[in-house]
Amino acid sequence: MILSPPEQVQARGRLAALFWPNADDGKAAANLRQAVARIRHVQEENGFTLIQANNSTLHLAPSDDVYCDLIELSRHIEGDVVLNPLQLSRIYGGELLANQDSGGQEFEDWLSSKRNELLLHAVDGIALGMRPGTRFSQAERSICARRLLELDPYREDAVCVLMEEAAERRHYARVKELYTSMRSVLSNELGVEPSPETRALYTNLMEMVR
């Protein structure tokens, strides 16, 4: 529902079919009723509202005291709010529904598409925080770089930011470690060498040792 803007409403029948594709309609509907009952119980017990339901639909209706990182990220994607790279680094927690059991093909296709969409938005947004000349400090650029490498281990630009940070602190062993690790990852997994720009930066930084 969060990822179904602008209505953020789903028909009960569609949800039942998505989550229990191998059950007959009656069993799937019963499973959904039980799930909705558990949701209501948790909401009432803890004094908040996130999801409301009627006889035909479920819809998102978060109370003012509810914070959900996925809602915030969805609003960012839709352009309702603007999250800066540091905020995206904190909010994007990783793969959507990473522990979700396998469902029907329609649900799996939808989930794969949404996972890719969220990841791409997070990666692109976080990468903006590494650019030279931004209002972010070197330390903040490095935060973005480290998070970006967690999401995409092939990002040479992130490694370059971290090498620059290490060199600024005169941690040249760390510079070498970062470059060597990146070179190994690229060679072993992609069969390529670091770009000329990355090699040149590494050479220039290590020359400071002499």
Side-chain angles (χ1 to χ4, degrees), residues 104-137:
Q105 190 59 50
E106 182 183 359
F107 176 73
E108 291 300 319
D109 290 344
W110 173 87
L111 182 58
S112 177
S113 173
K114 290 302 180 181
R115 282 173 173 169
N116 289 335
E117 179 185 359
L118 294 173
L119 176 61
L120 288 174
H121 277 282
V123 165
D124 289 346
I126 293 169
L128 295 176
M130 301 190 309
R131 289 182 178 176
T134 65
R135 62 184 177 86
F136 299 111
S137 66

Tab-separated table of all heavy atoms in Angstrom, residues 104-137:
chain	number	residue	atom	x	y	z
A	104	GLY	N	3.529	-15.778	-5.048
A	104	GLY	CA	3.214	-16.090	-6.437
A	104	GLY	C	4.069	-15.285	-7.389
A	104	GLY	O	4.743	-14.323	-7.005
A	105	GLN	N	4.024	-15.647	-8.666
A	105	GLN	CA	4.879	-14.993	-9.657
A	105	GLN	C	4.550	-13.504	-9.778
A	105	GLN	O	5.460	-12.682	-9.924
A	105	GLN	CB	4.728	-15.676	-11.014
A	105	GLN	CG	5.762	-15.222	-12.036
A	105	GLN	CD	7.186	-15.485	-11.577
A	105	GLN	OE1	7.516	-16.587	-11.165
A	105	GLN	NE2	8.036	-14.457	-11.627
A	106	GLU	N	3.267	-13.159	-9.737
A	106	GLU	CA	2.903	-11.750	-9.854
A	106	GLU	C	3.504	-10.936	-8.712
A	106	GLU	O	4.046	-9.846	-8.922
A	106	GLU	CB	1.377	-11.586	-9.857
A	106	GLU	CG	0.931	-10.135	-10.019
A	106	GLU	CD	-0.582	-9.961	-9.954
A	106	GLU	OE1	-1.285	-10.979	-9.809
A	106	GLU	OE2	-1.047	-8.803	-10.039
A	107	PHE	N	3.410	-11.478	-7.496
A	107	PHE	CA	3.969	-10.781	-6.341
A	107	PHE	C	5.489	-10.696	-6.445
A	107	PHE	O	6.089	-9.651	-6.154
A	107	PHE	CB	3.578	-11.493	-5.051
A	107	PHE	CG	4.199	-10.891	-3.817
A	107	PHE	CD1	3.744	-9.679	-3.323
A	107	PHE	CD2	5.238	-11.536	-3.165
A	107	PHE	CE1	4.320	-9.114	-2.194
A	107	PHE	CE2	5.815	-10.974	-2.035
A	107	PHE	CZ	5.353	-9.766	-1.549
A	108	GLU	N	6.135	-11.780	-6.854
A	108	GLU	CA	7.594	-11.782	-6.971
A	108	GLU	C	8.060	-10.780	-8.022
A	108	GLU	O	9.075	-10.091	-7.831
A	108	GLU	CB	8.094	-13.186	-7.320
A	108	GLU	CG	7.932	-14.206	-6.209
A	108	GLU	CD	8.691	-13.835	-4.947
A	108	GLU	OE1	9.843	-13.361	-5.066
A	108	GLU	OE2	8.137	-13.994	-3.850
A	109	ASP	N	7.332	-10.678	-9.124
A	109	ASP	CA	7.683	-9.696	-10.161
A	109	ASP	C	7.536	-8.275	-9.636
A	109	ASP	O	8.384	-7.411	-9.884
A	109	ASP	CB	6.798	-9.895	-11.398
A	109	ASP	CG	7.112	-11.177	-12.141
A	109	ASP	OD1	8.186	-11.762	-11.901
A	109	ASP	OD2	6.271	-11.602	-12.964
A	110	TRP	N	6.426	-8.043	-8.922
A	110	TRP	CA	6.203	-6.710	-8.332
A	110	TRP	C	7.300	-6.375	-7.326
A	110	TRP	O	7.849	-5.274	-7.338
A	110	TRP	CB	4.838	-6.683	-7.653
A	110	TRP	CG	4.593	-5.415	-6.876
A	110	TRP	CD1	4.078	-4.249	-7.355
A	110	TRP	CD2	4.866	-5.194	-5.485
A	110	TRP	NE1	4.019	-3.306	-6.348
A	110	TRP	CE2	4.489	-3.855	-5.190
A	110	TRP	CE3	5.385	-6.002	-4.464
A	110	TRP	CZ2	4.627	-3.314	-3.919
A	110	TRP	CZ3	5.519	-5.457	-3.192
A	110	TRP	CH2	5.134	-4.125	-2.938
A	111	LEU	N	7.625	-7.338	-6.461
A	111	LEU	CA	8.619	-7.114	-5.417
A	111	LEU	C	9.990	-6.839	-6.018
A	111	LEU	O	10.706	-5.929	-5.580
A	111	LEU	CB	8.680	-8.331	-4.487
A	111	LEU	CG	9.640	-8.241	-3.301
A	111	LEU	CD1	9.298	-7.043	-2.422
A	111	LEU	CD2	9.592	-9.536	-2.484
A	112	SER	N	10.367	-7.602	-7.047
A	112	SER	CA	11.650	-7.376	-7.701
A	112	SER	C	11.728	-5.984	-8.311
A	112	SER	O	12.744	-5.281	-8.196
A	112	SER	CB	11.865	-8.437	-8.788
A	112	SER	OG	13.062	-8.198	-9.494
A	113	SER	N	10.638	-5.559	-8.951
A	113	SER	CA	10.594	-4.232	-9.558
A	113	SER	C	10.730	-3.134	-8.508
A	113	SER	O	11.491	-2.165	-8.689
A	113	SER	CB	9.283	-4.061	-10.328
A	113	SER	OG	9.137	-2.739	-10.802
A	114	LYS	N	10.013	-3.269	-7.399
A	114	LYS	CA	10.066	-2.259	-6.345
A	114	LYS	C	11.422	-2.234	-5.659
A	114	LYS	O	11.932	-1.168	-5.287
A	114	LYS	CB	8.948	-2.491	-5.324
A	114	LYS	CG	7.564	-2.194	-5.855
A	114	LYS	CD	7.461	-0.741	-6.336
A	114	LYS	CE	6.092	-0.423	-6.880
A	114	LYS	NZ	5.997	0.977	-7.369
A	115	ARG	N	12.013	-3.407	-5.462
A	115	ARG	CA	13.347	-3.448	-4.863
A	115	ARG	C	14.357	-2.686	-5.717
A	115	ARG	O	15.153	-1.893	-5.211
A	115	ARG	CB	13.800	-4.905	-4.711
A	115	ARG	CG	13.183	-5.638	-3.535
A	115	ARG	CD	13.537	-7.112	-3.557
A	115	ARG	NE	13.086	-7.793	-2.346
A	115	ARG	CZ	13.084	-9.109	-2.199
A	115	ARG	NH1	13.511	-9.905	-3.194
A	115	ARG	NH2	12.675	-9.648	-1.062
A	116	ASN	N	14.297	-2.925	-7.011
A	116	ASN	CA	15.223	-2.244	-7.916
A	116	ASN	C	14.972	-0.738	-7.935
A	116	ASN	O	15.919	0.060	-7.952
A	116	ASN	CB	15.091	-2.813	-9.329
A	116	ASN	CG	15.646	-4.217	-9.453
A	116	ASN	OD1	16.518	-4.611	-8.685
A	116	ASN	ND2	15.138	-4.977	-10.406
A	117	GLU	N	13.699	-0.354	-7.934
A	117	GLU	CA	13.355	1.072	-7.950
A	117	GLU	C	13.878	1.780	-6.709
A	117	GLU	O	14.507	2.850	-6.795
A	117	GLU	CB	11.840	1.237	-8.041
A	117	GLU	CG	11.382	2.687	-8.038
A	117	GLU	CD	9.868	2.840	-8.007
A	117	GLU	OE1	9.167	1.814	-8.015
A	117	GLU	OE2	9.386	3.990	-7.958
A	118	LEU	N	13.644	1.194	-5.546
A	118	LEU	CA	14.104	1.803	-4.299
A	118	LEU	C	15.622	1.869	-4.235
A	118	LEU	O	16.201	2.879	-3.812
A	118	LEU	CB	13.560	1.027	-3.106
A	118	LEU	CG	12.040	1.066	-2.893
A	118	LEU	CD1	11.631	0.107	-1.784
A	118	LEU	CD2	11.579	2.476	-2.556
A	119	LEU	N	16.271	0.790	-4.659
A	119	LEU	CA	17.736	0.759	-4.642
A	119	LEU	C	18.325	1.826	-5.544
A	119	LEU	O	19.255	2.549	-5.162
A	119	LEU	CB	18.232	-0.626	-5.057
A	119	LEU	CG	19.757	-0.782	-5.183
A	119	LEU	CD1	20.439	-0.514	-3.851
A	119	LEU	CD2	20.111	-2.166	-5.714
A	120	LEU	N	17.792	1.951	-6.751
A	120	LEU	CA	18.323	2.933	-7.696
A	120	LEU	C	18.146	4.351	-7.179
A	120	LEU	O	19.055	5.190	-7.295
A	120	LEU	CB	17.645	2.774	-9.059
A	120	LEU	CG	18.048	1.540	-9.867
A	120	LEU	CD1	17.195	1.418	-11.127
A	120	LEU	CD2	19.524	1.595	-10.237
A	121	HIS	N	16.988	4.642	-6.603
A	121	HIS	CA	16.770	5.975	-6.046
A	121	HIS	C	17.723	6.241	-4.886
A	121	HIS	O	18.259	7.352	-4.749
A	121	HIS	CB	15.319	6.125	-5.575
A	121	HIS	CG	14.363	6.488	-6.667
A	121	HIS	ND1	14.258	7.778	-7.168
A	121	HIS	CD2	13.480	5.749	-7.373
A	121	HIS	CE1	13.354	7.808	-8.116
A	121	HIS	NE2	12.860	6.595	-8.269
A	122	ALA	N	17.927	5.239	-4.051
A	122	ALA	CA	18.833	5.409	-2.915
A	122	ALA	C	20.269	5.616	-3.390
A	122	ALA	O	20.954	6.539	-2.938
A	122	ALA	CB	18.750	4.192	-1.990
A	123	VAL	N	20.723	4.781	-4.302
A	123	VAL	CA	22.100	4.883	-4.808
A	123	VAL	C	22.334	6.222	-5.489
A	123	VAL	O	23.341	6.903	-5.228
A	123	VAL	CB	22.398	3.713	-5.771
A	123	VAL	CG1	23.664	3.987	-6.578
A	123	VAL	CG2	22.545	2.414	-4.996
A	124	ASP	N	21.432	6.622	-6.361
A	124	ASP	CA	21.599	7.894	-7.074
A	124	ASP	C	21.603	9.077	-6.104
A	124	ASP	O	22.390	10.015	-6.259
A	124	ASP	CB	20.481	8.078	-8.109
A	124	ASP	CG	20.612	7.130	-9.290
A	124	ASP	OD1	21.688	6.519	-9.442
A	124	ASP	OD2	19.641	6.996	-10.058
A	125	GLY	N	20.706	9.030	-5.115
A	125	GLY	CA	20.630	10.135	-4.162
A	125	GLY	C	21.836	10.209	-3.251
A	125	GLY	O	22.370	11.293	-2.990
A	126	ILE	N	22.284	9.057	-2.762
A	126	ILE	CA	23.447	9.027	-1.873
A	126	ILE	C	24.705	9.474	-2.613
A	126	ILE	O	25.559	10.168	-2.059
A	126	ILE	CB	23.624	7.615	-1.277
A	126	ILE	CG1	22.453	7.288	-0.342
A	126	ILE	CG2	24.939	7.506	-0.520
A	126	ILE	CD1	22.390	5.836	0.091
A	127	ALA	N	24.816	9.082	-3.877
A	127	ALA	CA	25.997	9.442	-4.666
A	127	ALA	C	26.163	10.951	-4.804
A	127	ALA	O	27.291	11.450	-4.930
A	127	ALA	CB	25.919	8.793	-6.042
A	128	LEU	N	25.058	11.681	-4.776
A	128	LEU	CA	25.148	13.147	-4.878
A	128	LEU	C	25.933	13.742	-3.715
A	128	LEU	O	26.549	14.802	-3.855
A	128	LEU	CB	23.741	13.759	-4.911
A	128	LEU	CG	22.875	13.430	-6.125
A	128	LEU	CD1	21.482	14.028	-5.962
A	128	LEU	CD2	23.529	13.945	-7.408
A	129	GLY	N	25.921	13.065	-2.578
A	129	GLY	CA	26.625	13.570	-1.408
A	129	GLY	C	28.121	13.432	-1.470
A	129	GLY	O	28.840	13.969	-0.616
A	130	MET	N	28.642	12.702	-2.470
A	130	MET	CA	30.089	12.508	-2.592
A	130	MET	C	30.742	13.524	-3.517
A	130	MET	O	31.959	13.619	-3.573
A	130	MET	CB	30.389	11.102	-3.118
A	130	MET	CG	29.870	9.970	-2.275
A	130	MET	SD	30.534	8.381	-2.819
A	130	MET	CE	30.193	8.424	-4.587
A	131	ARG	N	29.937	14.256	-4.246
A	131	ARG	CA	30.495	15.141	-5.261
A	131	ARG	C	31.351	16.245	-4.642
A	131	ARG	O	30.949	16.853	-3.650
A	131	ARG	CB	29.370	15.778	-6.079
A	131	ARG	CG	28.655	14.812	-6.995
A	131	ARG	CD	27.587	15.533	-7.801
A	131	ARG	NE	26.915	14.646	-8.738
A	131	ARG	CZ	25.895	15.021	-9.504
A	131	ARG	NH1	25.437	16.272	-9.433
A	131	ARG	NH2	25.337	14.168	-10.335
A	132	PRO	N	32.516	16.515	-5.222
A	132	PRO	CA	33.325	17.637	-4.736
A	132	PRO	C	32.569	18.946	-4.925
A	132	PRO	O	31.782	19.107	-5.859
A	132	PRO	CB	34.567	17.595	-5.644
A	132	PRO	CG	34.595	16.220	-6.213
A	132	PRO	CD	33.164	15.783	-6.319
A	133	GLY	N	32.777	19.870	-4.015
A	133	GLY	CA	32.133	21.165	-4.152
A	133	GLY	C	30.750	21.232	-3.561
A	133	GLY	O	30.105	22.279	-3.615
A	134	THR	N	30.251	20.111	-2.996
A	134	THR	CA	28.953	20.152	-2.328
A	134	THR	C	29.116	20.819	-0.965
A	134	THR	O	30.224	21.093	-0.512
A	134	THR	CB	28.382	18.739	-2.132
A	134	THR	OG1	29.238	18.018	-1.219
A	134	THR	CG2	28.315	17.989	-3.449
A	135	ARG	N	28.005	21.054	-0.304
A	135	ARG	CA	28.060	21.680	1.021
A	135	ARG	C	28.461	20.697	2.100
A	135	ARG	O	28.618	21.084	3.272
A	135	ARG	CB	26.692	22.276	1.362
A	135	ARG	CG	25.563	21.260	1.450
A	135	ARG	CD	24.236	21.953	1.706
A	135	ARG	NE	23.105	21.042	1.742
A	135	ARG	CZ	22.712	20.388	2.827
A	135	ARG	NH1	23.372	20.548	3.964
A	135	ARG	NH2	21.660	19.589	2.792
A	136	PHE	N	28.665	19.443	1.731
A	136	PHE	CA	29.003	18.438	2.719
A	136	PHE	C	30.500	18.421	3.006
A	136	PHE	O	31.331	18.637	2.118
A	136	PHE	CB	28.549	17.055	2.250
A	136	PHE	CG	27.070	16.957	2.049
A	136	PHE	CD1	26.526	16.827	0.781
A	136	PHE	CD2	26.209	17.020	3.133
A	136	PHE	CE1	25.164	16.759	0.589
A	136	PHE	CE2	24.829	16.945	2.961
A	136	PHE	CZ	24.311	16.820	1.685
A	137	SER	N	30.833	18.146	4.263
A	137	SER	CA	32.232	18.054	4.662
A	137	SER	C	32.839	16.752	4.140
A	137	SER	O	32.123	15.858	3.672
A	137	SER	CB	32.345	18.094	6.183
A	137	SER	OG	31.747	16.931	6.753
